Amino acid sequence: MPSDRHRHLGRLLRTTTFRFALIYLGLFIGSVLLVLWLIYWSTAGFLAGQADTGIREDMQALADRYRTGGMASLAEAVNERGMGNASSIYILSAGSGATLAGNQFWPKGVDEAGWANLPVKDPSSGQVRPGDVRALIAVLPGGYRVLVGRDLGEVRVLRERLERVIGWSMGLALVLGLVGGLAMSRVWLRRLDGVTRTAEAIREGMLVSRVPLTGSGDEFDQLAHTLNAMLDRIEALVAGIRHVSQGIAHDLRTPLTRLRTRLELALMHDTVENPREVLEAAIEEVDHLLATFRALLAIAEVESGGNLPIAPVPLDTLALSTGELYDAVAEDQGITFTMAVEATGPAATVQGNRQLLGQALANLLDNALKYTPEGGHVSLTVTADGPSRVKVTVADNGPGIPAEDRERVRERFFRLDRDQARPGSGLGLSLVDAVAQRHGGTLVLDDNGPGLKAQLLLPVG
């Protein structure tokens, strides 16, 4: 167990989250240190500056007393100021160093005029008082000297307290930062472990696995939602591939068997009256197989999202040109075919691939004509569906598609039971649906009462 804890701790320390927490901690400590240093410098410096100002003012006042009253008045002023003032120092001494007035003895080694930092001996105890003394010395005629000073012990105590506060603050920030970094790393690592476990399950073939959501709506939940949507798409694509494989194995087995049988008959010259007809039938089977594979490749190309050429496509012009090709087919089958284009120009122009859109329209018209009986009616219309969409509708009065099968007919190789004997591969509407999604649109299948109404809705622009 201890080794497991050590490994877990080592893993936490190696996480990117912990590294980011350390970087943030370094920046935070640096910022706090700078702020505290500014506070320290401004506080201690301000107090020291105030002490210097007070010393200058006192020295100036003593100088005024000396000018107006002479030495006697100066000595009296020094004694008055020094009496009962423990934090301030006032000394008047003779040239020999003897103290004439004041509340302290003249410090040794201090002879020249100017500023000085020095310890001062307490006259009552004879001991040197702790703390720095900031002093200003002035030399008078006759060798007399005046010293005015302030005991900065309180400033030193404040400075030491600030230094301790800064030290404790840095230590506390470091500890809290490390603990917070470990806690954040543990939480984030737990969330990432969910993604890792899901990825491992997907790698093992469990495509139904999904990244767990906490419901917090944070960035991890958004990432999990995106990954789950991607996994849903992957599962759908894999299911589609599986379905295509099964469809190919099922739907192509019969035509391949017929093709093999006809080729074998063609080899039996003695028993076949017209080998040419057998070979032509075999070629027809091959053409059917090639058409099926072309449709599969087209669907795969559309769904793969490859670099298809995209340009403005006027659906009104495309619908008219495609409809003209099927007008003759409808006439040959005894079917009435009408076209109506109500949306034109920008209202019918989409950004897309002209070839794919033309193939989708051709598939819809081909299906409509295939299932419409003689004497029936097929219509092609292009109308606006609001300000941002255009609608291409192909309607017929054939048998239609039951409501419960309108979603399934979009699947590859799906065919209604009634259509099993008809030629076809069950890929026409699959291609149309793929083209619609590739262009940001939808394919809507509805009842035409009777018949089928297929609506291709595409965004204009």
Side-chain angles (χ1 to χ4, degrees):
M1 291 297 293
S3 61
D4 291 340
R5 286 197 295 269
H6 291 161
R7 284 196 297 269
H8 184 66
L9 179 60
R11 186 185 177 197
L12 286 177
L13 296 178
R14 291 192 301 271
T15 59
T16 303
T17 304
F18 186 74
R19 294 193 185 100
F20 282 151
L22 288 181
I23 294 173
Y24 177 78
L25 175 62
L27 295 175
F28 174 74
I29 289 179
S31 302
V32 172
L33 184 61
L34 178 61
V35 172
L36 292 177
W37 181 83
L38 289 174
I39 294 174
Y40 170 81
W41 178 82
S42 61
T43 302
F46 175 74
L47 293 177
Q50 275 194 328
D52 286 355
T53 301
I55 291 172
R56 289 193 189 95
E57 291 176 352
D58 282 353
M59 183 62 78
Q60 184 62 44
L62 293 176
D64 292 341
R65 287 289 294 269
Y66 175 73
R67 282 194 298 269
T68 57
M71 186 61 65
S73 179
L74 175 60
E76 182 182 359
V78 168
N79 284 327
E80 289 175 354
R81 290 176 179 271
M83 187 177 301
N85 194 343
S87 61
S88 298
I89 299 171
Y90 300 91
I91 305 173
L92 173 62
S93 72
S96 60
T99 300
L100 302 178
N103 58 357
Q104 294 285 341
F105 295 112
W106 189 267
K108 294 181 180 180
V110 179
D111 298 323
E112 297 181 359
W115 290 97
N117 293 319
L118 46 91
V120 176
K121 184 181 293 185
D122 193 322
S124 60
S125 63
Q127 296 180 351
V128 177
R129 294 179 56 189
D132 295 333
V133 173
R134 181 71 167 163
L136 180 61
I137 298 97
V139 179
L140 303 176
Y144 293 96
R145 291 170 296 180
V146 178
L147 183 149
V148 177
R150 295 285 188 275
D151 187 352
L152 301 183
E154 293 181 356
V155 177
R156 176 179 55 80
V157 172
L158 176 61
R159 184 165 55 243
E160 291 174 352
R161 288 180 179 177
L162 286 175
E163 291 172 355
R164 286 196 296 270
V165 169
I166 292 174
W168 281 107
S169 299
M170 292 300 98
L172 183 61
L174 181 61
V175 172
L176 292 179
L178 290 175
V179 173
L182 289 174
M184 290 172 57
S185 299
R186 187 173 182 180
V187 172
W188 288 12
L189 187 60
R190 188 183 301 117
R191 300 290 296 274
L192 291 176
D193 281 342
V195 179
T196 303
R197 287 193 297 269
T198 302
E200 291 175 350
I202 295 294
R203 185 186 61 187
E204 296 297 328
M206 301 174 61
L207 299 181
V208 295
S209 299
R210 295 294 181 268
V211 180
L213 299 173
T214 63
S216 62
D218 58 6
E219 292 80 0
F220 276 102
D221 262 13
Q222 295 176 12
L223 175 62
H225 184 271
T226 302
L227 290 176
N228 289 339
M230 178 190 69
L231 292 175
D232 290 339
R233 179 60 176 166
I234 291 175
E235 184 181 10
L237 291 175
V238 172
I241 293 173
R242 187 181 299 112
H243 179 70
V244 169
S245 301
Q246 294 174 350
I248 291 176
H250 181 270
D251 285 21
L252 299 187
R253 180 174 55 191
T254 300
L256 286 174
T257 302
R258 289 198 302 264
L259 176 61
R260 176 181 173 82
T261 301
R262 287 182 173 126
L263 292 176
E264 288 178 345
L265 290 175
L267 293 175
M268 302 169 62
H269 300 287
D270 298 335
T271 58
V272 178
E273 295 181 359
N274 193 346
R276 182 180 181 83
E277 292 182 358
V278 176
L279 290 175
E280 289 177 349
I283 293 174
E284 185 178 350
E285 291 288 352
V286 172
D287 290 339
H288 173 70
L289 293 173
L290 291 175
T292 300
F293 280 109
R294 280 196 297 269
L296 285 173
L297 290 175
I299 295 174
E301 184 179 7
V302 173
E303 292 184 339
S304 66
N307 294 324
L308 297 173
I310 301 297
V313 179
L315 284 182
D316 51 347
T317 304
L318 181 62
L320 289 174
S321 60
T322 306
E324 289 175 358
L325 297 176
Y326 283 88
D327 190 15
V329 179
E331 185 177 356
D332 292 341
Q333 296 180 4
I335 298 173
T336 305
F337 180 66
T338 59
M339 291 186 292
V341 176
E342 300 177 6
T344 60
T349 301
V350 302
Q351 293 291 330
N353 183 272
R354 183 181 182 88
Q355 181 180 355
L356 289 180
L357 292 172
Q359 182 65 49
L361 291 179
N363 282 14
L364 291 178
L365 289 172
D366 186 70
N367 276 349
L369 294 175
K370 181 189 299 184
Y371 293 103
T372 301
E374 185 178 356
H377 178 259
V378 174
S379 64
L380 171 64
T381 59
V382 180
T383 57
D385 186 49
S388 60
R389 289 200 308 185
V390 60
K391 177 170 61 178
V392 180
T393 304
V394 177
D396 62 67
N397 58 356
I401 299 176
E404 61 272 14
D405 293 325
R406 288 174 191 160
E407 288 300 319
R408 296 198 62 193
V409 294
R410 305 168 191 267
E411 301 175 2
R412 298 178 183 87
F413 297 110
F414 178 81
R415 304 181 70 192
L416 299 175
D417 293 336
R418 68 170 189 239
D419 299 328
Q420 295 298 324
R422 290 176 177 268
S425 59
L427 296 173
L429 289 178
S430 298
L431 177 60
V432 177
D433 188 58
V435 171
Q437 294 186 28
R438 181 69 174 82
H439 289 79
T442 55
L443 172 64
V444 179
L445 302 177
D446 204 355
D447 184 32
N448 195 37
L452 178 68
K453 182 189 295 182
Q455 298 174 326
L456 190 61
L457 305 177
L458 298 171
V460 299

